Amino acid sequence: MTSLILNTGIVNLSLGNFVMWLIAFLFIYLAIEKNYEPLLLVPIGFGILAVNLPLTFLMKEGSGLLWKFYHYGLEWEVIPPLIFLGLGALTDFGPMISNPKTLILGAGAQFGVYAAFFGAILIGFDIPEACSIGIIGGADGPTTIFTTVHLAPHLLGATAVAAYSYMSLVPIIQPPIMRLLTSKEERKIRMKQLRPVSKKEKIIFPLITVVVICLIVPASAPLMVMFMLGNLFKECGVVKRLSDTAANELMNIVTILLGISVGGTMSAEHFLKPQVIFVFLMGLVAFAFSTAAGILLAKFINIFATEKINPLIGSAGVSAVPMAARVSQMEGAKADPKNFLLMHAMGPNVAGVIGTVVAAGVFLSLGN
Amino acid sequence: MIKWMIGLKICAFGLGAVFLCLAALITFIYLFGIILKSIEKNSVKKAG
């Protein structure tokens, strides 16, 4: 009888487990009630709850169910590239091809990645950990996970949750920075209507991009190849079934596995550490710097450009597609209700995804 | 100190790679646009 009682989870519960349950319930509450990244926070929250049930051994190396999802899905680099396949099938590069100089804004927004990287070094994190924290500034969940699994797997839960949390908080974090760095006159700038982009251009773009980027930063290939393959599926128009599967069913399946695997890494003994607070703090620094750098770069370009760019679209360079572009549109509309910035902001927005993947590739090459 | 030096190297390479990649893409997009336009012009001329 005593042995039976000792083998129940109840007597093995720790205070840490209770704290993690509260965090799990908070995530599930935020997802359901506040609609904050529900597709991820529901499985992550549930994964946290499950992994903090004592003696379930869900993350036991070799046999735990969640460990298998984590090991074969994340450690084997399967899930993030498959998510990128789906993202590619959902992405329209038309606005970016139509106004290629907005690509530079996607690069500018990567400054925040390096601001947080140096911040993390200053706090005392080692180089691989600093790389994993810095990449949060790219506001790209799968890229953050991909980088962290390689460089600092013990921080996976914290970096993944920070990245997705800040992505869902884009409408709260970005507007004050946008208003602080721009004048009302700048926010009113109207941009020329984008030219239509031909099908040929849209088909050739993923082919050129994959060659150019993988030649310059080969370590970014797993994400970039799948991203551009998904986009080619979408644009070529002859593999609608594959495109639909990548963008819907497959994306949904891997999202479930990703969420529950990330949640599975967040056991009390791994997550309840002071360094997790610093990860969140640095993630916020990264995000704020990325937003500011994108806006300032747009203002810098305006010094030389004959056709002015509305600096509000610079903040969309932080990836977080399409939320960041929507925020640019909303802020622009507040200054001038007839100003439509959404499509202009989609250029830096998708360029930001490419920029973050390149930054991650460099971290993976040099961060070890 | 060594950590900071490595950090600086990663930062320089990282930002350099990001700007290089995106600048290369801008160049290719413009080049392809020019090529496509000239092909279309030629085909219109031939049809005319």
Side-chain angles (χ1 to χ4, degrees):
Chain A
M1 187 66 182
T2 314
S3 149
L4 186 70
I5 291 170
L6 287 176
N7 279 309
T8 64
I10 301 163
V11 292
N12 288 284
L13 275 170
S14 65
L15 182 65
N17 292 138
F18 280 112
V19 174
M20 292 311 292
W21 287 4
L22 287 177
I23 293 173
F25 291 137
L26 176 70
F27 283 8
I28 294 169
Y29 167 79
L30 288 175
I32 296 170
E33 277 297 310
K34 303 286 178 187
N35 208 29
Y36 286 167
E37 296 283 341
L39 295 176
L40 277 148
L41 287 194
V42 169
I44 289 178
F46 205 84
I48 298 170
L49 179 68
V51 82
N52 284 287
L53 295 169
L55 304 185
T56 52
F57 303 115
L58 288 169
M59 279 301 278
K60 188 181 178 191
E61 197 170 331
S63 60
L65 176 70
L66 297 190
W67 179 86
K68 286 173 187 163
F69 291 157
Y70 170 75
H71 180 65
Y72 297 112
L74 293 179
E75 284 189 329
W76 279 27
E77 297 180 7
V78 176
I79 291 176
L82 284 178
I83 290 199
F84 261 75
L85 181 76
L87 285 178
L90 287 166
T91 302
D92 179 10
F93 285 108
M96 195 183 77
I97 299 169
S98 179
N99 188 5
K101 64 175 178 271
T102 58
L103 264 156
I104 288 295
L105 299 176
Q110 306 309 316
F111 279 103
V113 170
Y114 297 99
F117 169 71
F118 282 118
I121 292 176
L122 193 68
I123 287 173
F125 286 98
D126 61 26
I127 295 282
E129 289 172 334
C131 293
S132 303
I133 294 166
I135 205 70
I136 298 171
D140 193 324
T143 310
T144 303
I145 290 166
F146 190 76
T147 310
T148 309
V149 165
H150 273 274
L151 298 177
H154 54 287
L155 292 180
L156 179 65
T159 56
V161 169
Y164 283 112
S165 305
Y166 293 136
M167 280 164 69
S168 66
L169 292 174
V170 161
I172 296 165
I173 297 171
Q174 285 196 322
I177 302 168
M178 294 161 90
R179 287 194 287 268
L180 185 73
L181 296 175
T182 55
S183 65
K184 194 161 187 187
E185 288 311 305
E186 285 173 323
R187 294 199 287 276
K188 279 182 181 172
I189 292 174
R190 288 194 181 184
M191 293 175 69
K192 211 173 90 179
Q193 199 180 354
L194 295 170
R195 70 170 175 87
V197 174
S198 69
K199 191 180 173 187
K200 276 180 199 154
E201 284 175 288
K202 286 187 174 181
I203 290 174
I204 208 84
F205 179 78
L207 299 171
I208 288 176
T209 304
V210 81
V211 172
V212 169
I213 291 181
C214 292
L215 282 177
I216 298 173
V217 188
S220 65
L223 297 179
M224 194 50 68
V225 164
M226 297 305 274
F227 190 35
M228 291 303 145
L229 176 64
N231 192 249
L232 186 62
F233 281 169
K234 175 182 182 281
E235 299 300 350
C236 71
V238 292
V239 288
K240 194 175 177 304
R241 277 166 49 195
L242 300 187
S243 175
D244 287 346
T245 302
N248 298 300
E249 292 85 357
L250 183 62
M251 183 88 151
N252 291 339
I253 291 167
V254 290
T255 301
I256 294 169
L257 295 175
L258 177 80
I260 202 155
S261 305
V262 169
T265 64
M266 293 169 68
S267 58
E269 64 269 26
H270 286 119
F271 196 75
L272 295 178
K273 291 177 178 173
Q275 61 178 181
V276 170
I277 297 166
F278 290 121
V279 170
F280 274 80
L281 193 70
M282 281 298 114
L284 185 61
V285 169
F287 213 80
F289 265 85
S290 293
T291 302
I295 294 168
L296 293 175
L297 187 64
K299 288 174 74 147
F300 180 71
I301 292 172
N302 277 349
I303 296 171
F304 308 100
T306 45
E307 276 176 27
K308 302 290 181 205
I309 297 172
N310 189 315
L312 291 177
I313 70 165
S315 65
V318 297
S319 314
V321 182
M323 188 67 87
R326 279 191 203 144
V327 171
S328 301
Q329 162 65 28
M330 283 189 291
E331 286 303 308
K334 277 179 194 166
D336 175 3
K338 287 186 179 169
N339 199 359
F340 295 101
L341 293 175
L342 184 65
M343 292 317 284
H344 298 286
M346 284 307 291
N349 210 189
V350 293
V353 180
I354 298 174
T356 306
V357 171
V358 173
V362 174
F363 278 155
L364 291 171
S365 306
L366 302 176
N368 258 325
Chain B
M1 192 61 195
I2 293 170
K3 206 159 83 168
W4 283 99
M5 293 306 289
I6 298 170
L8 276 175
K9 192 175 108 181
I10 290 175
C11 180
F13 274 102
L15 279 176
V18 170
F19 276 96
L20 179 66
C21 285
L22 296 183
L25 284 181
I26 292 172
T27 312
F28 277 110
I29 291 170
Y30 277 122
L31 273 179
F32 187 70
I34 292 166
I35 294 167
L36 214 64
K37 259 185 199 167
S38 71
I39 292 170
E40 274 167 16
K41 245 186 202 173
N42 284 343
S43 60
V44 169
K45 264 185 194 172
K46 275 180 190 172

